[in-house]
Each structure stands twice: as structure tokens, then as C-alpha cells.
Amino acid sequence: MASPEIEALTQALSRLPGLGPRSARRAVLHLLKKRESALEPLLRALDAVNERLETCSLCGNVDTLDPCGICADPRRDARALCVVEDVADLWALDKSRLFPGRFHVLGGRLSALEGVRPEDLSIDALVARVEAGGIDEVVLAMNATLEGQTTAHYLAVRLERFPVRLTQLAHGVPVGGELDYLDEGTLAQALRARRPVG
């Protein structure tokens, strides 16, 4: 039987996404066995992040700086703005290094079932950024869910009065995907978004 402190650590880790009670227990055992090489560096890193954690006042990213490293990077194309639902989406797109512009995090997506309204998201801040000028393209990088597409449509309506090019991520058949394994919604979207060959 583990001490109450070790049990509390195990329970805290088990609440993290992707870790259940058994995985958390294995992680705790590893940390205890490798105290100097794993536990102590982890504690220092957690403490440092906890001390310096900031939400970027420009885009909504989470970083230890405000403005964040992305917004402060002069190599970024300030004329292109990619709108995402959450910080995890921003990090995934930024990690790909395929988008050279800046980002805007909404903090969620519209959802009548969950009671998320436009005023609950940073939509007004997005409109203000576009209204301030200097942006040529806004990429609506919403998830391919009903709520994500509803959010993208709402944003398109709110931004249509500005002289910016509105684009959306492509949806459809993934690379390496086999048609007989795809759901009807994905197939329908792929057919609607078809393009000429060559």
C-alpha cells in the first residue's frame, strides 16, 4: 500500500488526458525509481511553468511570455491569420511549420448543447484584429465537427464586411485513407470539395 502522498500523486496524474489509473501508477513508479533523473527535473519544470505561465494578450496562446513567442516572432507573416478553436490546435498547426502567419485562439467552439455562445469566445477580439487592418487572409481552421463548422460559418458572416480573403481547411479523404473505411460524412465532404485533375 502506497503512502497518502504517493496515492495523491497517482490520482493527480490519472486525471490527465490519456492516463488512466494503471498508467498513472506506472508513471509514478518510474518517477520514484528515477528520482534524480526524472522526478526532480519534472518538479523543477512544473514549478518554472507554474511561476511564469501567461496567456498571450494578442492571440490567446499559452506561453511563458506575453506576447507569446509566435506573436513576437518578426519572421511571421502578419498579413495571414489562422483562427483555431483551442491552444492544442495552434500547437499542432505550428509544429507542422506549414503556416507562416500568426494565430488567434477562440477558446472553444459554438455549441448550443453545451451553452457556448459567441460572447463566451474571443470572437470580438478576432473581429477587432481584422478591423485594425494589415490582414489579407483569415484561415478558419475549425475542427470538422458540426460545432466546428457552425463556428466557421458564424465567423465567416462576422468577417464578410472586411476586405480579407476567407479560407477554410480542406476536409475529406485523408492521405492513405481507404474509401470503404470512411464514414458517409467524410465521403460527402470529399465529393463536394473535389477539384479538377492536373
Side-chain angles (χ1 to χ4, degrees):
M1 184 85 179
S3 71
E5 294 84 1
I6 293 173
E7 270 306 310
L9 177 59
T10 303
Q11 288 178 7
L13 287 177
S14 71
R15 288 191 289 271
L16 294 173
L19 286 180
R22 295 175 96 179
S23 297
R25 195 172 305 116
R26 282 194 295 275
V28 167
L29 286 172
H30 173 77
L31 290 169
L32 296 177
K33 287 179 186 175
K34 307 283 186 176
R35 186 174 183 168
E36 287 183 20
S37 64
L39 180 60
E40 290 175 6
L42 176 63
L43 290 173
R44 284 193 299 273
L46 286 170
D47 192 45
V49 167
N50 187 44
E51 289 286 318
R52 299 181 59 207
L53 192 64
E54 299 275 347
T55 299
C56 180
S57 57
L58 297 175
C59 73
N61 188 14
V62 178
D63 201 342
T64 56
L65 306 167
D66 184 18
C68 71
I70 293 172
C71 289
D73 187 348
R75 297 169 296 180
R76 292 283 183 162
D77 183 359
R79 295 169 299 153
L81 186 65
C82 183
V83 182
V84 295
E85 293 176 18
D86 206 338
V87 172
D89 301 328
L90 183 155
W91 288 0
L93 284 167
D94 189 52
K95 186 177 180 183
S96 74
R97 300 197 183 280
L98 295 173
F99 183 71
R102 300 214 171 132
F103 291 91
H104 185 88
V105 179
L106 292 175
R109 60 181 175 256
L110 297 175
S111 173
L113 291 175
E114 296 171 10
V116 180
R117 301 162 301 162
E119 52 270 17
D120 298 324
L121 305 175
S122 67
I123 294 173
D124 289 340
L126 169 65
V127 172
R129 284 180 82 177
V130 174
E131 191 172 27
I135 296 173
D136 295 335
E137 179 183 12
V138 175
V139 180
L140 302 177
M142 308 296 103
N143 289 310
T145 62
L146 179 61
E147 293 89 356
Q149 296 311 297
T150 300
T151 305
H153 177 73
Y154 179 82
L155 293 175
V157 170
R158 289 283 307 266
L159 298 173
E160 69 184 356
R161 65 187 168 102
F162 300 107
V164 296
R165 190 171 138 229
L166 286 175
T167 59
Q168 191 171 357
L169 293 183
H171 300 279
V173 179
V175 174
E178 296 183 30
L179 296 180
D180 59 336
Y181 289 105
L182 299 177
D183 63 275
E184 290 178 18
T186 301
L187 285 172
Q189 182 62 36
L191 283 169
R192 281 194 295 271
R194 65 188 183 275
R195 59 180 187 218
V197 177

